[in-house]
Amino acid sequence: MTKNTGTVLLVEDERQMRRFLRLTLQSEGYAVIEAETAAEGLSQAAMRNPDIILLDLGLPDMDGLEVIAKLREWTSLPVIVISARDQEGDKIKALDNGADDYLTKPFGAGELLARIRVALRHGALKSTEPGEAIFTVEDLKIDFLKRKVYRSGGEIHLTPIEHRLLTVLVENAGRVMTHRQLLKEVWGPPYIEQTHYLRVFMNQLRKKIEADSTRPRFLLNEPGIGYRFKTDFD
């Protein structure tokens, strides 16, 4: 018997897509709660407290972007958007509204399951106690309390801005952070349009923490959208 690996709330009005997702998730041990409308999805999220939400944007009673905004008024549960909308603007709006990730239909089962695992790990990371704030992935180690960063055992010197940028990305590990989100978090609201700041400091940060800054493993670019700190190397 497959081990239960968590509960997924699936908010999707298309029957065939819902069936595909249900079978895919159940085959991996996930319990699945289904909702066909935004209203039902919001209600189930409040009553059933799932581990993660898969949300279609094109729902019959409410746009998915509004659903994300309503969810973020009271919960930080991971939300992965699954949508046929493939424009950068739609992805940016969804992520800026609080979605953790965005998958464009059609997508494969393997990619979906990988994104779910990453989002669940991100949720677990956010709940880490401050006293245990040491983050390690491969040869990179970050001690948030001491504000020190190590690669392969050696300490790396980061400027205050570089450290803040890395901290925000790691705190949201696995999640796509838009340019506006990063600029707001690191530099402040007046700088949300200054994407060149972000580009310059990201290049500097890659040169310090990546073994090869031209082929980054941790700090990945999401073209036209933002950046993601990658942690899934399995």
Side-chain angles (χ1 to χ4, degrees):
M1 185 175 179
T2 307
K3 180 181 178 182
N4 185 284
T5 49
T7 300
V8 179
L9 171 58
L10 172 58
V11 188
E12 166 66 68
D13 66 323
E14 187 182 336
R15 182 179 300 177
Q16 286 298 108
M17 175 58 71
R18 205 164 59 245
R19 180 177 183 275
F20 161 70
L21 293 169
R22 179 178 67 249
L23 294 176
T24 297
L25 293 166
Q26 289 177 340
S27 71
E28 293 296 314
Y30 291 99
V32 180
I33 304 166
E34 297 181 43
E36 296 183 44
T37 66
E40 186 182 359
L42 290 167
S43 176
Q44 292 284 15
M47 292 190 301
R48 305 288 290 277
N49 192 31
D51 296 295
I52 190 167
I53 300 170
L54 298 184
L55 175 67
D56 181 31
L57 293 184
L59 298 169
D61 57 332
M62 186 187 302
D63 189 84
L65 295 174
E66 188 177 349
V67 175
I68 298 169
K70 288 182 177 294
L71 285 168
R72 288 297 175 247
E73 291 176 359
W74 61 273
T75 182
S76 59
L77 281 172
V79 176
I80 298 179
V81 168
I82 48 172
S83 178
R85 302 181 194 173
D86 60 356
Q87 297 299 310
E88 283 182 3
D90 291 315
K91 296 180 181 180
I92 291 170
K93 286 177 184 177
L95 294 165
D96 277 341
N97 273 23
D100 291 79
D101 208 342
Y102 193 112
L103 270 173
T104 303
K105 299 175 183 176
F107 49 79
E111 182 178 11
L112 171 68
L113 293 169
R115 297 290 184 93
I116 289 174
R117 290 193 295 270
V118 169
L120 289 173
R121 283 199 292 267
H122 165 232
L125 180 66
K126 286 200 298 186
S127 65
T128 300
E129 292 297 323
E132 302 172 357
I134 292 179
F135 178 85
T136 304
V137 57
E138 299 226 321
D139 64 343
L140 186 67
K141 176 182 175 182
I142 304 167
D143 187 326
F144 292 110
L145 293 181
K146 295 181 179 179
R147 296 180 59 84
K148 292 181 181 292
V149 180
Y150 305 87
R151 194 184 78 199
S152 301
E155 185 176 352
I156 302 169
H157 173 72
L158 299 182
T159 67
I161 290 289
E162 290 167 351
H163 192 278
R164 177 61 183 156
L165 179 57
L166 180 60
T167 297
V168 171
L169 286 163
V170 169
E171 286 176 345
N172 293 276
R175 176 184 177 186
V176 179
M177 297 291 288
T178 67
H179 297 132
R180 290 170 65 91
Q181 287 173 329
L182 287 169
L183 287 161
K184 181 180 178 181
E185 289 290 327
V186 179
W187 283 271
Y191 296 87
I192 59 174
E193 302 298 336
Q194 306 300 320
T195 54
H196 63 284
Y197 281 21
L198 186 57
R199 188 164 53 249
V200 169
F201 277 89
M202 186 62 72
N203 286 337
Q204 292 177 184
L205 191 55
R206 279 175 169 160
K207 289 177 181 177
K208 292 183 178 182
I209 75 165
E210 300 280 6
D212 181 353
S213 62
T214 64
R215 301 177 65 183
R217 287 174 55 75
F218 302 118
L219 302 173
L220 303 187
N221 180 39
E222 297 286 339
I225 299 173
Y227 295 92
R228 180 201 302 265
F229 189 94
K230 184 177 179 179
T231 57
D232 53 320
F233 298 101
D234 43 75

